[in-house]
Amino acid sequence: MRAAGAASCPLPVRVRRAVGGAEEPAMSGRRYCEIPRCVLRAIAVHARIAAPRECCGLLIGVGRSVRDAVPSVNLAEGPTRYLLDPQTHLAIRRQARAAGDDIVEIG
């Protein structure tokens, strides 16, 4: 499920990775990603569908600016771990490169 209309989303939200995987507002000088709200909503939908298992996928964009979230199948057996499907990972990486994008984050 790709974030529909990601290019026309309102201003992005700055989030940074925190210990334990929680996201919180970015502070000056720390590593952050800019993620459009519609992409965050698409991630939340994917998480609800995958529950109670961990959801996983790739964030696509340029630099630290995310334009899209691409979900992947979780191959991990446990409910609190994830293992990204390698075939999906490679396919998405190829598509991103062809479009001039990068994989900003995997999770």
Side-chain angles (χ1 to χ4, degrees), residues 72-88:
S72 176
V73 174
N74 181 357
L75 300 179
E77 294 181 19
T80 60
R81 302 272 187 240
Y82 73 89
L83 176 60
L84 193 71
D85 176 38
Q87 292 178 337
T88 301

Side-chain angles (χ1 to χ4, degrees), residues 6-106:
S8 63
C9 283
L11 292 175
V13 175
R14 283 187 167 192
V15 295
R16 72 176 176 90
R17 290 177 55 189
V19 176
E23 300 290 344
E24 57 187 60
M27 304 298 279
S28 177
R30 296 190 183 180
R31 178 181 162 155
Y32 67 90
C33 295
E34 290 185 353
I35 305 176
R37 291 183 191 279
C38 60
V39 173
L40 290 173
R41 284 191 297 272
I43 293 168
V45 168
H46 177 57
R48 282 192 294 274
I49 291 168
R53 298 187 60 191
E54 195 71 34
C55 72
C56 61
L58 298 107
L59 298 180
I60 307 298
V62 177
R64 302 304 302 164
S65 294
V66 174
R67 292 187 322 148
D68 205 358
V70 183
S72 176
V73 174
N74 181 357
L75 300 179
E77 294 181 19
T80 60
R81 302 272 187 240
Y82 73 89
L83 176 60
L84 193 71
D85 176 38
Q87 292 178 337
T88 301
H89 183 180
L90 292 175
I92 294 169
R93 182 176 294 277
R94 287 185 189 114
Q95 290 172 1
R97 285 183 182 164
D101 290 330
D102 298 313
I103 293 177
V104 177
E105 194 70 54
I106 299 173

